[in-house]
Amino acid sequence: MPTDTKDRILEAAARLFAEQGYHATGVAGILRVAGVKSGSLYHFFSSKEDLLVAVMQRHLDMLRPQFLERAAAESVTEDPLEHVFSLLGIYRRTLLVSGCKLGSPVGSLALEVGSGIPRVRVLIERYFAIWVAQVQEWLEAAGPRLPEGLERGAFAQHVLAVAEGGIVQSRASESLDPYDACVAQLRSTFELLVARSRYERDESRDSLVGEPARADESVGETEDEFEWRAW
Amino acid sequence: MPTDTKDRILEAAARLFAEQGYHATGVAGILRVAGVKSGSLYHFFSSKEDLLVAVMQRHLDMLRPQFLERAAAESVTEDPLEHVFSLLGIYRRTLLVSGCKLGSPVGSLALEVGSGIPRVRVLIERYFAIWVAQVQEWLEAAGPRLPEGLERGAFAQHVLAVAEGGIVQSRASESLDPYDACVAQLRSTFELLVARSRYERDESRDSLVGEPARADESVGETEDEFEWRAW
Amino acid sequence: MPTDTKDRILEAAARLFAEQGYHATGVAGILRVAGVKSGSLYHFFSSKEDLLVAVMQRHLDMLRPQFLERAAAESVTEDPLEHVFSLLGIYRRTLLVSGCKLGSPVGSLALEVGSGIPRVRVLIERYFAIWVAQVQEWLEAAGPRLPEGLERGAFAQHVLAVAEGGIVQSRASESLDPYDACVAQLRSTFELLVARSRYERDESRDSLVGEPARADESVGETEDEFEWRAW
Amino acid sequence: MPTDTKDRILEAAARLFAEQGYHATGVAGILRVAGVKSGSLYHFFSSKEDLLVAVMQRHLDMLRPQFLERAAAESVTEDPLEHVFSLLGIYRRTLLVSGCKLGSPVGSLALEVGSGIPRVRVLIERYFAIWVAQVQEWLEAAGPRLPEGLERGAFAQHVLAVAEGGIVQSRASESLDPYDACVAQLRSTFELLVARSRYERDESRDSLVGEPARADESVGETEDEFEWRAW
DNA sequence: AATGAATGAGAGTTCATTCAT
DNA sequence: GATGAATGAACTCTCATTCAT
């Protein structure tokens, strides 16, 4: 059976990098938390920077199972739009349990070391790309409930921005309020979009077919519903 | 006679903290950039952390003149809603001229040292509060052009989130695209809100008064206009 | 009127050197205590070492008025032997009021910088010489009450040794007990010496003259008395 | 495999602290003397102060084998009173070989850092206590040769005082003379005490028994002898 | 795989001192 | 006489890393 030393190091490093940042975290601290001696660390990783890359790769590996898929699984409804907020809820939980000390580890690393270590930057870019792609997929799955003109990809980026930006504010104020407010506004935007989409479809339907469409709409109404849900 | 040494140190520190982060910046680097010897730095600041506090205070002092007031002054129209995007444009310029290495210095500090140094965290919190308050003011100045039900304060936080979150993505991808996409979506949301407000007002007006109001509305139409403008 | 700045500096330095030692005392600390800026200090003293020399000279200047003459003045009797213990009592008071943190400033300097700074060592040597000379004088003033064979100078050095050595122990144990015990033993030795001297004189008187001397002795008995007195 | 690095550091530090004092000794100097790099020192000792504690502990560990037991072993006679002077002779040798630059390392530390670093002060206190206890034991082993009324413990403290105080003076004058004079006076006191004790015993014996005791006394005379011996 | 002693460059900071005002 | 900004060497200590075992 292979030892778990490497994992323990990775886990310790991931935790400390998230808590304190990369540069503020000393190798000694990682060794202490991992319960490992320096020789062991350098047996698995050739440098602290290398360890950071591995940590970032680990974040990447865990993005889908721990965040994206889990968000869908934990979502209160099958509605793909709801999945988006389920995902945002996962970040909320991280803020909550850490007393707003921890938010998105990757976002923090992006700002701290993104532009300094190319290998890491590329992984972060990929991480965000996957995140955005998944949200985009959910948005697309919502089909006509969102306005035809809405660029799903750009809007997914916007969603990520709200999440990261909300986290920044909540960490700064040590309160969930800003994050909640930001997400609430995002939800309102979703409602607005859904309403607009229905309105647009109504209009086009009106001009195209007319009253008979009304029957369908009553069904559509239900599907289109998108309302506020407490965390 | 006042010397500029202290300012040179502050400026150098602010720049390096923004470029590399607080922990990755050595005192030696600050001294080199400021063209000052170590003794001088410690004549004015009792520690590196103290210097950080002073830098953060400087950001706070410059927030209004350099960002908020300038955004209003540089705004392409007198429309307060446009001021918001003028402000977002300032951050865009920072990204642009730095090759997406620099975004919002305060956002970066918030994530890197926010939770570690209370004195700094408080200043960051205040910084965001002022930022948000100004945007909220602009939103309120837009009066009925935004929906009555829109919480101006929460929406201002949302605007800040989009900015900070867009910056995170643009720094990670070393491209303005994510930032632009995020801001574009935000603008769409503004348009949506303005449209919704007009719609709501139409409906109530219809029920309340009727045609005479239409005359006013034609003027209002112009005011309500809120369309995309290239950076 | 000349300013007292120089004196304030000297006093501050003397106090801090005594409390913390020479090397542990920073110029900054002296400036703070003296309420003076660095330029002023270097206006009067060319270096920290120079300041030490001046402090040591001050100790030398104050030795007679503040210690030796005061000891005689404060002595409970006119007995010169008692003056010795009056002097030791002054050091006791210093220990007492300082919680055994301060003893003999010069003794401490002797051990810390004596062998390193010749100018200072010479002053310390002179200081001890004057101290010893005074005690020797008192011992000589006791005349035949002390044994003829007792070397007054060497014994005075011994007295100084007991004082300094007692202080060392009391500072180490943060208690007056060791100092008191040492001085008590010294007093016993004095009693022993006085007794021995009387005995010797008795013997020689017996062999030389005889009974008539007894009359004088009854007076001498009183003079010879030398008993323990509480502090 | 145990390396000698730690010991080399301890030895170097002990030597330099004794020669120059704690504060005047730089870590760099210790490293140079020990032939070690800074990282190594901090591998074994967490700080300079910690190193001082270890040095002091080492003094404590070496007190018995290197000073107390050796004093007894090197003593010119089996007479326990002579052991006391054998011990004082060890300090004399230290003064001699160092040109009066070195005396009692612990005494110096007591004055320099005693009251500043509690951990060190406690060790110094214990050091003196053991020293005194051993001398007290020797004094007690002398049995009735010393006066019944003599407090052995207090007198042992007095002996230590004479040693430390003699060292202070010899270091200040860069001459063995003061130390020798102090020890000589102490020896005279011993002789006085022994004589007094014999006298007291004679008196009590006279009053109790009478002439027959004289036979024993001739033997006692030899035992009681306590005379000056050159170093 | 793992240990922990050893490295030495560099960290942040304090130091005594200088000097123009 | 006094100020306090400026200096730069030296300080204690931490850093990421290496390597013999």
Side-chain angles (χ1 to χ4, degrees):
Chain A
M1 196 207 292
T3 61
D4 60 341
T5 304
K6 190 172 180 178
D7 282 339
R8 290 222 313 284
I9 295 170
L10 272 173
E11 207 166 333
R15 181 180 132 197
L16 292 174
F17 289 165
E19 282 175 11
Q20 318 170 329
Y22 173 70
H23 287 103
T25 298
V27 171
I30 298 170
L31 298 176
R32 191 171 3 89
V33 170
V36 152
K37 298 304 184 310
S38 72
S40 297
L41 191 152
Y42 285 93
H43 177 71
F44 294 108
F45 307 98
S46 62
S47 68
K48 186 189 173 189
E49 189 178 309
D50 227 66
L51 175 54
L52 171 61
V53 172
V55 163
M56 191 53 229
Q57 182 62 55
R58 205 181 84 122
H59 282 310
L60 202 49
D61 295 340
M62 291 170 69
L63 172 56
R64 262 188 268 256
Q66 296 287 343
F67 289 81
L68 307 181
E69 290 168 10
R70 207 207 275 189
E74 292 179 351
S75 189
V76 290
T77 69
E78 292 290 316
D79 181 358
L81 295 188
E82 197 54 52
H83 294 0
V84 173
F85 291 89
S86 174
L87 177 56
L88 298 181
I90 292 178
Y91 290 100
R92 188 181 196 275
R93 283 208 301 268
T94 306
L95 283 168
L96 185 64
V97 301
S98 68
C100 293
K101 305 273 189 228
L102 259 52
S104 154
V106 175
S108 303
L109 289 177
L111 289 187
E112 188 188 357
V113 296
S115 48
I117 305 174
R119 280 188 300 167
V120 175
R121 211 216 83 232
V122 167
L123 290 176
I124 294 171
E125 195 175 3
R126 200 176 305 162
Y127 184 97
F128 284 156
I130 293 171
W131 202 102
V132 165
Q134 176 60 275
V135 171
Q136 179 176 355
E137 206 175 283
W138 287 330
L139 298 180
E140 283 164 354
R145 286 169 57 212
L146 291 176
E148 202 179 359
L150 182 78
E151 286 187 51
R152 267 68 173 169
F155 196 75
Q157 286 183 304
H158 170 83
V159 170
L160 175 54
V162 172
E164 294 289 347
I167 288 167
V168 170
Q169 290 175 72
S170 271
R171 287 188 60 178
S173 67
E174 289 195 329
S175 155
L176 276 173
D177 294 346
Y179 185 75
D180 284 346
C182 291
V183 174
Q185 292 304 313
L186 184 66
R187 192 176 276 270
S188 296
T189 301
F190 269 74
E191 291 166 358
L192 221 50
L193 289 167
V194 168
R196 151 67 58 123
S197 177
R198 187 169 45 216
Y199 175 76
E200 285 173 353
R201 278 177 285 150
D202 281 357
E203 283 197 325
S204 56
R205 219 177 279 137
D206 283 355
S207 57
L208 286 175
V209 284
E211 289 304 311
R214 286 284 172 197
D216 296 346
E217 197 182 22
S218 63
V219 179
E221 284 279 27
T222 314
E223 284 170 347
D224 278 3
E225 233 164 88
F226 187 78
E227 284 163 22
W228 174 256
R229 277 180 189 80
W231 285 105
Chain B
M1 189 205 294
T3 53
D4 62 339
T5 304
K6 190 171 180 178
D7 284 338
R8 289 222 314 284
I9 295 170
L10 273 173
E11 206 165 334
R15 181 182 132 197
L16 292 174
F17 289 166
E19 281 175 14
Q20 317 170 330
Y22 173 69
H23 288 104
T25 298
V27 171
I30 298 170
L31 298 175
R32 191 169 3 89
V33 171
V36 152
K37 298 303 169 357
S38 72
S40 299
L41 192 154
Y42 286 94
H43 177 68
F44 294 106
F45 306 99
S46 61
S47 67
K48 187 188 170 189
E49 187 177 311
D50 223 66
L51 175 55
L52 171 61
V53 172
V55 164
M56 190 53 228
Q57 182 63 53
R58 207 182 81 121
H59 284 309
L60 200 51
D61 295 340
M62 292 170 69
L63 173 56
R64 262 188 267 256
Q66 296 287 343
F67 288 81
L68 306 180
E69 291 169 9
R70 207 208 275 188
E74 291 179 351
S75 190
V76 290
T77 70
E78 293 289 316
D79 181 359
L81 296 188
E82 195 55 49
H83 294 0
V84 174
F85 290 89
S86 174
L87 177 57
L88 298 182
I90 292 177
Y91 290 100
R92 187 181 197 274
R93 283 209 300 268
T94 305
L95 284 168
L96 184 64
V97 300
S98 68
C100 292
K101 305 274 189 225
L102 259 51
S104 154
V106 175
S108 303
L109 289 177
L111 290 187
E112 189 188 356
V113 297
S115 48
I117 305 174
R119 280 186 301 167
V120 175
R121 211 216 84 229
V122 167
L123 291 177
I124 294 172
E125 195 176 3
R126 202 176 304 164
Y127 185 96
F128 285 156
I130 292 172
W131 202 102
V132 165
Q134 176 61 273
V135 171
Q136 178 177 354
E137 209 175 280
W138 286 332
L139 297 180
E140 284 163 354
R145 286 169 56 212
L146 290 176
E148 202 178 0
L150 182 78
E151 287 186 50
R152 267 70 172 168
F155 196 75
Q157 286 182 306
H158 171 82
V159 170
L160 175 54
V162 172
E164 293 289 348
I167 287 167
V168 170
Q169 290 176 72
S170 271
R171 287 188 62 178
S173 66
E174 291 195 327
S175 156
L176 275 173
D177 293 347
Y179 185 76
D180 284 347
C182 292
V183 174
Q185 292 304 313
L186 184 66
R187 191 176 277 270
S188 296
T189 301
F190 268 75
E191 290 166 358
L192 220 50
L193 289 168
V194 168
R196 150 68 57 123
S197 178
R198 188 168 45 215
Y199 175 76
E200 285 173 354
R201 279 177 285 150
D202 280 356
E203 283 197 326
S204 56
R205 216 175 282 138
D206 283 353
S207 57
L208 286 175
V209 282
E211 289 305 309
R214 287 283 171 195
D216 296 347
E217 198 182 19
S218 63
V219 180
E221 283 278 28
T222 313
E223 284 170 348
D224 277 4
E225 232 163 273
F226 188 78
E227 283 162 21
W228 174 255
R229 277 180 189 80
W231 287 106
Chain C
M1 195 207 291
T3 61
D4 62 342
T5 304
K6 189 173 180 177
D7 283 337
R8 289 221 315 282
I9 295 171
L10 273 173
E11 207 166 333
R15 181 180 133 197
L16 292 174
F17 290 165
E19 282 174 12
Q20 317 170 330
Y22 172 70
H23 287 102
T25 299
V27 171
I30 298 169
L31 298 175
R32 190 167 7 88
V33 171
V36 152
K37 297 305 184 312
S38 72
S40 297
L41 191 152
Y42 286 93
H43 176 71
F44 294 107
F45 307 98
S46 62
S47 68
K48 185 189 173 188
E49 188 178 312
D50 226 66
L51 175 55
L52 171 61
V53 171
V55 164
M56 191 54 229
Q57 181 64 53
R58 206 181 83 122
H59 284 310
L60 202 51
D61 295 340
M62 292 170 70
L63 173 57
R64 262 187 268 257
Q66 297 287 342
F67 289 83
L68 307 181
E69 290 168 10
R70 206 208 277 188
E74 291 179 352
S75 190
V76 290
T77 70
E78 292 289 315
D79 181 359
L81 295 189
E82 197 53 51
H83 294 0
V84 173
F85 292 89
S86 174
L87 178 57
L88 298 181
I90 292 177
Y91 290 99
R92 188 181 196 275
R93 283 208 301 267
T94 306
L95 284 168
L96 185 63
V97 301
S98 69
C100 293
K101 304 271 188 229
L102 259 52
S104 153
V106 176
S108 303
L109 289 178
L111 290 187
E112 190 188 355
V113 297
S115 48
I117 305 174
R119 279 188 300 168
V120 175
R121 210 215 84 231
V122 168
L123 290 177
I124 295 171
E125 195 176 4
R126 199 177 305 163
Y127 184 96
F128 284 156
I130 292 171
W131 202 101
V132 165
Q134 176 62 274
V135 171
Q136 179 178 354
E137 206 175 283
W138 286 332
L139 298 179
E140 283 163 355
R145 286 168 57 212
L146 289 177
E148 201 179 0
L150 182 78
E151 287 187 52
R152 267 66 174 172
F155 196 76
Q157 286 184 303
H158 170 84
V159 171
L160 175 55
V162 172
E164 293 289 350
I167 288 167
V168 170
Q169 289 175 72
S170 271
R171 287 188 60 179
S173 66
E174 288 195 330
S175 155
L176 277 173
D177 294 347
Y179 185 75
D180 284 347
C182 291
V183 174
Q185 292 304 311
L186 184 67
R187 193 176 275 271
S188 296
T189 301
F190 268 75
E191 291 167 358
L192 219 52
L193 288 167
V194 168
R196 152 65 59 120
S197 177
R198 187 168 47 214
Y199 175 76
E200 283 173 355
R201 278 176 285 149
D202 281 356
E203 283 197 328
S204 55
R205 216 176 281 136
D206 284 353
S207 57
L208 286 176
V209 283
E211 291 304 312
R214 287 286 171 192
D216 296 347
E217 198 183 21
S218 63
V219 179
E221 284 281 25
T222 314
E223 284 172 346
D224 279 3
E225 235 163 90
F226 187 78
E227 284 162 22
W228 173 256
R229 277 179 190 81
W231 286 106
Chain D
M1 189 206 293
T3 53
D4 63 339
T5 304
K6 190 172 180 178
D7 284 338
R8 289 221 314 284
I9 295 170
L10 272 174
E11 208 166 332
R15 183 181 132 197
L16 292 174
F17 289 166
E19 282 175 13
Q20 316 171 330
Y22 172 70
H23 288 104
T25 298
V27 171
I30 298 170
L31 298 175
R32 192 170 0 90
V33 171
V36 152
K37 297 305 172 346
S38 73
S40 299
L41 192 154
Y42 287 94
H43 177 67
F44 293 106
F45 307 98
S46 61
S47 67
K48 187 188 171 190
E49 187 178 310
D50 223 66
L51 174 55
L52 171 62
V53 172
V55 164
M56 191 54 228
Q57 182 63 54
R58 206 182 82 122
H59 283 311
L60 199 51
D61 295 339
M62 292 172 69
L63 172 56
R64 263 188 267 257
Q66 296 287 342
F67 289 83
L68 306 181
E69 291 168 10
R70 207 209 274 189
E74 291 179 352
S75 190
V76 290
T77 70
E78 292 289 314
D79 181 359
L81 295 188
E82 196 54 50
H83 293 1
V84 173
F85 292 88
S86 174
L87 177 57
L88 300 181
I90 291 176
Y91 289 100
R92 187 181 197 275
R93 283 208 302 268
T94 305
L95 283 168
L96 185 62
V97 302
S98 68
C100 293
K101 305 272 190 227
L102 260 52
S104 154
V106 175
S108 304
L109 290 178
L111 291 187
E112 190 187 355
V113 296
S115 47
I117 306 174
R119 279 185 304 166
V120 175
R121 211 216 83 229
V122 167
L123 291 176
I124 294 172
E125 193 175 6
R126 202 177 303 164
Y127 184 97
F128 284 156
I130 292 171
W131 201 103
V132 165
Q134 175 61 273
V135 170
Q136 178 177 355
E137 206 176 283
W138 287 331
L139 298 179
E140 283 164 355
R145 286 167 57 211
L146 290 176
E148 203 178 359
L150 183 78
E151 287 186 53
R152 268 68 173 170
F155 196 74
Q157 287 183 304
H158 171 83
V159 170
L160 175 54
V162 172
E164 293 290 348
I167 287 167
V168 170
Q169 290 175 73
S170 272
R171 289 189 61 177
S173 67
E174 289 195 330
S175 156
L176 275 173
D177 294 347
Y179 185 75
D180 284 346
C182 291
V183 173
Q185 292 304 312
L186 183 66
R187 192 176 276 271
S188 296
T189 302
F190 268 76
E191 291 166 357
L192 221 51
L193 288 169
V194 168
R196 151 66 58 121
S197 177
R198 187 167 47 215
Y199 175 75
E200 284 172 354
R201 278 176 286 151
D202 282 355
E203 283 198 325
S204 55
R205 216 175 283 136
D206 284 352
S207 59
L208 285 176
V209 285
E211 289 305 309
R214 287 288 171 191
D216 295 347
E217 199 184 18
S218 63
V219 179
E221 285 279 27
T222 315
E223 284 171 346
D224 277 2
E225 232 163 273
F226 186 78
E227 284 162 21
W228 174 255
R229 277 178 190 81
W231 287 104

